[in-house]
Amino acid sequence: MKFLLMSLISHRPDPISQEKKSPAERLRDVVDTAVLAEELGFDGFAVGERHEDPFISSSPPVVLSNIAARTSTIGLFTAVTTLSLLDPVRAFEDYSTLDNLSGGRLELIIGKGNGTAQAELFHVTAEDQWDRNREAYELFRTLWASENVTWNGQFRPSLTNAKALPRPLQDRIRIWHGSATSQESVDLAAYYGDPIFSANVTNPIQPYAELIRHYRERWAHYGRRPEDALVGAGTAGFHVAPTSQEAVAAYRFTFESRLAAQRQAGLPVVFDSLEDLVERSSALIGSPEQVIDKVGRYHEQFGHEVIHLSADADGVTPCQQRRSLELFQSDVAPVLRERIRSRPLSANKYSPKEVLV
């Protein structure tokens, strides 16, 4: 199994001190965490894309380029690239440049995006976001594969023998399709033979497992080998400590702060207590043995090979976060890597070939 840390780069007052860092300080924190992730042995680091408060993750390729400059081996991911909002030519140029600068360590997770701000900033609505996402992906994919492109679409000007530069380092980049509960994303992934990354955050396991089953059904419908399907999944929370009591105690303030923010924003509450979150959600909060057991139970339903864990330390101290990450790498990751086979990431392409581990 492969393990990513992921940040949406939330920008809120610290729930303990109530001090709010500047955007520059918060962005540096994320880059520093990515450097630490490489030092500890994580396989990848993912940066989200959001265009509204309380996030400052509007430019993943810029943040990932900074991470690329300070690291050498860790895989670089987006989580997600909202192609429905972007000019696919501009997106190709940004990510092709990043692919070259990083030495071919880039993988994308794409999605349609969400939130009301995207309609205000980009004039993309619920009615057209799926069509925009599909069209942008098809053009982005074509640009990556072909040096000269002639193309016509609905949402951007046509191209005639167009050449987008620079050409990428990777001949074919791995593009995951981020999904929550809608079938459109997994249908598109299965059609093109691409992997999916289940959000696996807001609800209990059932709707996510159902969507992954649908993905595998559509995969087979297009005549693909079942063993070639590739699945990743997120987690609803993360904190590891030597005992479950210590982990729950350390994470309680984080949970209560997020629950209060949900209620203030009028969002539906699915898990109304920390104990409920630990029991029914994908959150990995507990001792190493408990985390290993939960990942195993989810793997029985998903068959996933990659998971991402939150890189943000809201409500816990930096020392607590570091101890959690260190304990995960020393006591959890080795066991799961041995038990669950996984394919190499793009970061492995330009180093000696990796076997399934």
Side-chain angles (χ1 to χ4, degrees):
M1 179 164 264
K2 299 291 191 294
F3 305 101
L4 319 178
L5 287 186
M6 189 274 283
S7 178
L8 284 172
I9 319 184
S10 60
H11 188 220
R12 300 182 179 95
D14 181 270
I16 299 173
S17 69
Q18 292 302 306
E19 295 180 359
K20 187 175 183 179
K21 294 183 176 182
S22 70
E25 291 172 321
R26 181 71 184 99
L27 289 166
R28 283 196 293 269
D29 281 348
V30 171
V31 175
D32 289 343
T33 302
V35 173
L36 174 63
E38 179 171 278
E39 292 174 359
L40 294 179
F42 282 88
D43 300 289
F45 193 91
V47 174
E49 180 179 337
R50 298 294 292 270
H51 297 272
E52 60 189 339
D53 281 335
F55 306 99
I56 53 172
S57 52
S58 58
S59 301
V62 178
V63 179
L64 288 170
S65 290
N66 199 306
I67 293 171
R70 293 189 54 194
T71 58
S72 58
T73 60
I74 196 168
L76 306 175
F77 287 72
T78 60
V80 301
T81 294
T82 51
L83 275 181
S84 62
L85 312 183
L86 307 176
D87 180 340
V89 176
R90 178 73 251 189
F92 166 81
E93 292 172 337
D94 286 344
Y95 285 111
S96 178
T97 300
L98 174 55
D99 190 49
N100 280 282
L101 289 172
S102 68
R105 289 187 277 148
L106 178 64
E107 300 193 25
L108 299 185
I109 307 174
I110 67 165
K112 65 175 178 56
N114 54 31
T116 58
Q118 67 184 32
E120 299 167 1
L121 289 173
F122 299 97
H123 298 278
V124 174
T125 67
E127 290 70 34
D128 66 10
Q129 61 187 359
W130 280 114
D131 290 335
R132 288 178 179 273
N133 182 69
R134 184 178 298 104
E135 178 179 294
Y137 175 63
E138 290 169 353
L139 178 52
F140 183 93
R141 181 186 178 95
T142 300
L143 289 164
W144 203 280
S146 305
E147 189 165 328
N148 296 94
V149 173
T150 297
W151 175 90
N152 284 286
Q154 179 181 357
F155 298 106
R156 80 165 315 279
S158 61
L159 300 174
T160 302
N161 200 31
K163 186 173 185 177
L165 297 171
R167 297 307 303 158
L169 180 60
Q170 298 181 74
D171 292 334
R172 183 167 184 263
I173 188 175
R174 180 182 284 155
I175 299 178
W176 305 70
H177 295 246
S179 67
T181 56
S182 179
Q183 293 185 351
E184 283 89 342
S185 56
V186 300
D187 287 345
L188 188 65
Y191 177 79
Y192 280 108
D194 295 330
I196 64 166
F197 216 105
S198 172
N200 193 34
V201 170
T202 307
N203 300 296
I205 191 172
Q206 289 81 8
Y208 303 116
E210 181 179 341
L211 198 65
I212 291 170
R213 284 193 294 270
H214 175 74
Y215 166 67
R216 295 185 187 279
E217 290 169 1
R218 298 304 294 167
W219 185 271
H221 170 78
Y222 291 114
R224 307 189 188 282
R225 300 190 311 163
E227 62 268 27
D228 291 338
L230 177 59
V231 175
T235 52
F238 170 63
H239 193 78
V240 185
T243 68
S244 60
Q245 293 84 356
E246 290 175 84
V248 168
Y251 198 80
R252 187 170 297 281
F253 193 75
T254 299
F255 172 79
E256 291 176 351
S257 297
R258 292 178 180 175
L259 181 62
Q262 279 182 289
R263 287 175 168 158
Q264 185 175 8
L267 299 174
V269 173
V270 177
F271 308 107
D272 60 4
S273 71
L274 177 54
E275 289 70 22
D276 189 32
L277 182 80
V278 172
E279 175 66 25
R280 293 195 303 123
S281 83
S282 62
L284 301 179
I285 301 164
S287 68
E289 295 78 11
Q290 288 172 309
V291 169
I292 291 167
D293 178 67
K294 177 174 273 191
V295 172
R297 286 187 280 117
Y298 269 72
H299 179 72
E300 290 175 0
Q301 295 287 320
F302 293 172
H304 58 312
E305 300 179 22
V306 183
I307 62 173
H308 71 53
L309 313 167
S310 176
D312 298 323
D314 299 340
V316 299
T317 67
C319 287
Q320 286 176 315
Q321 183 198 30
R322 181 172 185 126
R323 284 198 297 269
S324 173
L325 296 175
E326 290 173 340
L327 187 59
F328 182 88
Q329 281 296 341
S330 64
D331 289 25
V332 177
V335 176
L336 292 174
R337 285 194 174 107
E338 182 176 353
R339 291 182 182 178
I340 300 174
R341 292 160 59 89
S342 56
R343 277 156 271 199
L345 301 180
S346 291
N348 306 124
K349 280 185 177 180
Y350 298 94
S351 57
K353 279 195 172 181
E354 175 183 337
V355 297
L356 287 175
V357 293

